[in-house]
Amino acid sequence: MRSNMEMTHPCGVGIASWCCRVNRPVVNRPRCDWEEEVEDVPYALRDKSHIEETLRLATDDKSGDYTAALQKLRKIYHSAIKPMEQAYKYNELRQHEISAYPGRNLGDSGTDGEITSKPMVLFLGPWSVGKSSMINYLLGLQNSPYQLYTGAEPTTSEFTVIMHGEKIRSVEGIVMAADSSRSFSPLEKFGQNFLEKLIGVEMPHKLLERVTFVDTPGIIENRKQQERGYPFNDVCQWFIDRADLIFVVFDPTKLDVGLELEMLFRQLKGRESQIRIILNKADNLATQDLMRVYGALFWSLAPLINVTEPPRVYVSSFWPYDYAADTSRELFKREEISLLEDLNQVIENRLENKIAFIRQHGIRVRIHALLVDRYVQVYNDKMSYFSDPELVFKEIVDDPDKFYIFKSILAKTNVSKFDLPNRDAYRDFFGVNAITSFKPLTTQCSYLGGCLLGKIEKAITDELPALLSSINSDKQPGLTSCEATGCDEKPKNRYRKN
């Protein structure tokens, strides 16, 4: 059996297939089956200086300021939001509509893992399209003992989390789920079979100090989900809900859309702003063929992405070796830099995104508490000496509109109707939580601690916006010269499409 670095694979028909370019040594490229016996020629590595420059890995991360801001954010969450969560059991409300992060509950693990976690970049797509190779390229792992295994056949069967650590080591899934200092404890709900397919890789790397990569098993359309031994789509949804950036990778030979890929894009609904589509291995094609493949990719994905503005598509070749000859190397280089700038924006905005999420989370906790309080009020008003508690409860839960429960929240508060959860969610919620176990909001006050509703409203309207403003003012101090952008040059808009 050859080692990973020596293994070659049969080539495709037509153009020189990517499989002839996987796992080749730095100097000598292995020959494909159809090639004549010729002398090995050197195959150059690509210059990677633009990666460190674009991601600003050499600059100071100002970790002291970042840590201080996180401490303030943690204090606001624990003092103003978490008490309301616990009092009205928000974490037991499992409903997609009520949370932009389904199942993501900051208090589940009893730690601050969700708040302190780094931005997560998720790689999705069919098998053998270059997801693992792309991670190897960004982290400089090629030709090292620690590179992610790549090949022309399906190679990645695990969910691999690549994160920062003081030394290079692998971490088993059961250890990751049991470690309270990480944010992976909720993954235990997917069972032991999945935890055996989860692995973490820690390594000291400047980029991993700022971001975490997640490599996923490739989508294989002829494999039924149950054959994986765990709920693959549910696990993907868990990572999708927590990802700050989602790379959906394709290659020119795998543009067909099957049931599993269609299900994946259905799970990505509402996440279009975080999705980036990558057409990888583009230097395998001549320019004319590349244009046809680009059009075919959009034709295949159009029914799955029903939005006015489709996600950004990057066309390049993400691996460490030089672009093939007679291809649009300048275009590929610009596309790669543009993608790196996208990644850098996620890194630079990670603290603002956390504050915004905590505020959004606080708004939903407040809405939930107001709704539960209204249910309790109606129940208490309807109850009399001769009333049957079960019948009263069933009447309220089955038809809340009859008692104007949701409409009263809209009328008396500044809650948007688009933020209200599904009514059916509360039938299930009160099915496991007795309505009599909750106290009215007016009684949730103490002499020293104040009222729960007042504290969470202060956090939403004052404290979190003030923290966000302080972060922005630190990032954009007043300049007395043109050192930032030049006197006659407009600041670059990183979000504008090239």
Side-chain angles (χ1 to χ4, degrees), residues 90-162:
Y90 172 79
N91 291 338
E92 296 184 22
L93 186 69
R94 305 290 188 178
Q95 180 66 24
H96 184 84
E97 287 83 2
I98 199 171
S99 176
Y101 294 79
R104 182 177 187 174
N105 300 297
L106 299 180
D108 275 352
S109 61
T111 70
D112 301 303
E114 293 284 0
I115 297 178
T116 58
S117 62
K118 299 179 179 68
M120 180 184 293
V121 179
L122 180 64
F123 290 79
L124 299 169
W127 59 274
S128 192
V129 294
K131 300 186 295 295
S132 302
S133 296
M134 187 173 177
I135 296 175
N136 287 336
Y137 172 55
L138 293 174
L139 297 178
L141 300 179
Q142 65 279 356
N143 303 325
S144 76
Y146 313 107
Q147 68 173 342
L148 302 182
Y149 182 73
T150 60
E153 77 285 359
T155 55
T156 303
S157 60
E158 300 93 6
F159 283 80
T160 307
V161 182
I162 303 97

Side-chain angles (χ1 to χ4, degrees), residues 40 102 116 132 164-165 182 204 278 294 343-344 374 380 423 473:
D40 289 334
T116 58
S132 302
H164 183 263
R182 307 181 193 272
I278 299 175
Y294 187 88
L343 176 58
N344 188 59
R374 183 59 183 162
N380 291 337
R423 289 153 174 76
S473 63

Side-chain angles (χ1 to χ4, degrees), residues 287-348:
T287 303
Q288 187 175 12
D289 293 330
L290 181 59
M291 292 174 62
R292 291 171 178 159
V293 168
Y294 187 88
L297 176 63
F298 266 101
W299 178 265
S300 299
L301 298 182
L304 308 180
I305 307 176
N306 188 20
V307 292
T308 304
E309 185 175 354
R312 177 75 157 86
V313 178
Y314 295 97
V315 181
S316 189
S317 180
F318 296 92
W319 75 322
Y321 302 102
D322 200 5
Y323 301 110
D326 300 324
T327 56
S328 305
R329 59 176 58 235
E330 291 301 322
L331 169 65
F332 299 152
K333 180 71 171 292
R334 289 196 301 270
E335 288 282 280
E336 181 178 326
I337 292 176
S338 182
L339 181 141
L340 293 173
E341 288 177 343
D342 237 351
L343 176 58
N344 188 59
Q345 279 296 309
V346 170
I347 295 173
E348 289 187 346

